Amino acid sequence: MPTRTILAASAIVLVAMIAGAPFVLNEGFLRLATECLLLLTMAQMWNLLAGYAGLVSLGHQVFIAFGAYALFLTSGWLEVTPIWVLPVAPLVAGAVAAIIAFPLFRLRDAYFSIAMWVFAEIIGAFTMKSQAVGGTSGVPLATSKLIDFDWFEPTMFWLAGGLTLVTIAALYRMMTSSFGLGLMSVRDNDLAAMSVGVDVRHNRFVAFVLSAAGCGLAGALSFMGNLFIAPLAAFDVNWSVYMMFIVIIGGIGTLEGPILGVIIFFGLRELMTGPLGLSGGWYLVGLGIIAVVVMIVAPRGIWPALRDRIGVRLLDVHRAAPTPGRGRDPAGGVGTGYRMRRAFTSPPLLVF
C-alpha cells in the first residue's frame, strides 16, 4: 500500500478517535490525554529546532511562558473567553523569537544554548518582580467565569488533539519540501549549505520562530487548563528538560521519535506514581536511568533502532542520491540527466 494512502487512512482514524474520545473517557483520562498531547506538541517544536535546524535550546520555557501570559492578560483585558484569544499566544511568542533571533544567531553551538537559558532566567526574574502580572504569586484566569465547565475538559482535549495533528502534518509537509532539504543541510553542515546557495540565517530564523510560536500556543493551552499561572511554573526549566528527554530517547530528527518518547515518559510516570506508589523523586531517577541506557545502547534514539529492525517507515524523511535519467542538457538537446528521488526513510541523506 502506498505510503500516502497509509498516512491518509491513519489521519482519518486519529481524527475520529479524537472527536469521539470525550464521549467514552472520563474527565481524568481526558485531562491526562490533553497533557500528553500538549507536551508532544512542545517536543515536536523543540525537535524542529534541534533535530532539523541544529539549534539546541535550553530556554524554550520562555516561549511557553510568553504564550500563557499573553493569553491570560489579553483575555482579562478584553473580558472574553480565553479560547477566542488563543491566536495571541503564538503571535506573541513568535514575535519575541523574531526579536531575539538577531543577537542569538551570532552565537554558535553551546553558546546559543546557554544564551537561551540565560534569557529565560532573566525574563523569569523580571516577571516575578512585576506586580502587573501578579509577581511571584501569579494570576488566576480572570475570565474563568465565562467558561462552560460542562464542556471544558472535552474542549481542551479537542484543541490539544487538533493542535498536535496539525503540528505533525505541517512538520511532515515542511520536511518533505525544498525548505526541509535546505534546513537539514544547514543542520548537517552550515558552511557546506551556504556554499551551495542555502540561506542559513533565513532557514534557522523560520525554524526558530515557528518553534517558539508552537510552544507558545501549547503553553497557553496548558495553563488555560489549570486556570492559573505563576512564574515558577511558567518559567520552570523542567519544560525544556522534558522536551529534550522525550525527543532524545524517542529519536531526534524524526517525527515518530517524540511520539514514542511521550508514551515512555507518561507511561513511566503513571506506573511509578500509581501502581508502584513511589514518590516523584524516584520517577525522576527512573527517567535518568532510561535516558542513560538509551544514549549508550541506541544513541540515535529508540525509534530509529526499532524502525531499522522492523522496517516500518511512514513519517521519516530521506533524501536519496540522484539516479541517472534522460533529460535535456543545458544546450537544449536530449542527454543524460539526473532525477532526485524522494523516499520516506531516515536518517536524512543530503545530496547536492
Side-chain angles (χ1 to χ4, degrees):
M1 185 180 296
T3 301
R4 294 185 182 277
T5 303
I6 297 175
L7 292 177
S10 300
I12 293 173
V13 171
L14 289 174
V15 170
M17 291 175 61
I18 290 175
F23 300 103
V24 296
L25 299 178
N26 60 38
E27 288 192 0
F29 278 108
L30 281 181
R31 189 165 185 81
L32 175 61
T34 301
E35 186 181 0
C36 294
L37 290 168
L38 291 177
L39 192 53
L40 174 57
T41 299
M42 296 177 192
Q44 292 286 12
M45 292 293 97
W46 192 88
N47 188 35
L48 167 63
L49 190 64
Y52 290 112
L55 294 174
V56 178
S57 170
L58 298 179
H60 246 47
Q61 65 271 17
V62 72
F63 302 123
I64 294 173
F66 268 114
Y69 272 104
L71 175 72
F72 273 58
L73 296 178
T74 305
S75 177
W77 290 336
L78 300 180
E79 297 183 353
V80 296
T81 305
I83 293 177
W84 294 112
V85 293
L86 270 175
V88 172
L91 290 176
V92 170
V96 172
I99 294 172
I100 66 174
F102 295 102
L104 285 179
F105 281 5
R106 299 176 65 89
L107 306 174
R108 296 173 60 88
D109 302 327
Y111 298 102
F112 173 85
S113 303
I114 295 173
M116 275 298 307
W117 173 69
V118 170
F119 174 72
E121 291 296 310
I122 292 174
I123 299 300
F126 276 116
T127 303
M128 286 189 286
K129 294 181 178 297
S130 175
Q131 294 304 313
V133 292
T136 56
S137 301
V139 291
L141 184 60
T143 55
S144 58
K145 59 182 179 295
L146 301 177
I147 296 175
D148 182 3
F149 285 98
D150 291 335
W151 287 95
F152 184 61
E153 291 298 340
T155 302
M156 288 294 301
F157 175 77
W158 284 327
L159 289 172
L163 175 61
T164 301
L165 290 180
V166 170
T167 296
I168 295 175
L171 289 178
Y172 176 75
R173 180 68 183 88
M174 180 187 298
M175 290 304 112
T176 55
S177 68
S178 57
F179 175 80
L181 173 61
L183 190 62
M184 288 185 288
S185 69
V186 170
R187 172 201 62 192
D188 293 341
N189 191 318
D190 55 352
L191 295 179
M194 190 180 303
S195 69
V196 294
V198 176
D199 191 337
V200 173
R201 183 176 292 270
H202 173 264
N203 283 25
R204 282 181 168 169
F205 178 82
V206 171
F208 187 54
V209 171
L210 290 178
S211 178
C215 281
L217 181 54
L221 282 172
S222 179
F223 282 98
M224 187 177 82
N226 296 331
L227 305 178
F228 182 82
I229 185 172
L232 290 178
F235 291 93
D236 189 355
V237 71
N238 281 327
W239 286 113
S240 290
V241 173
Y242 293 157
M243 286 185 272
M244 292 174 62
F245 175 86
I246 289 169
V247 172
I248 290 174
I249 67 167
I252 190 169
T254 68
L255 295 179
E256 299 95 336
I259 298 174
L260 181 59
V262 163
I263 294 174
I264 295 173
F265 180 86
F266 283 97
L268 182 65
R269 189 188 76 175
E270 296 303 311
L271 175 64
M272 297 189 72
T273 60
L276 297 182
L278 299 176
S279 65
W282 285 107
Y283 160 60
L284 296 176
V285 170
L287 290 179
I289 293 174
I290 290 178
V292 171
V293 171
V294 169
M295 285 187 286
I296 293 175
V297 177
R300 295 183 301 162
I302 295 176
W303 171 251
L306 183 63
R307 177 205 59 217
D308 294 343
R309 180 174 293 273
I310 63 179
V312 175
R313 293 177 171 87
L314 290 175
L315 298 175
D316 294 324
V317 180
H318 169 71
R319 303 292 175 168
T323 56
R326 294 184 63 81
R328 293 189 176 275
D329 59 24
V334 177
T336 300
Y338 288 91
R339 297 189 306 270
M340 280 299 295
R341 292 187 294 109
R342 187 174 66 197
F344 300 100
T345 178
S346 184
L349 173 63
L350 304 178
V351 179
F352 305 97

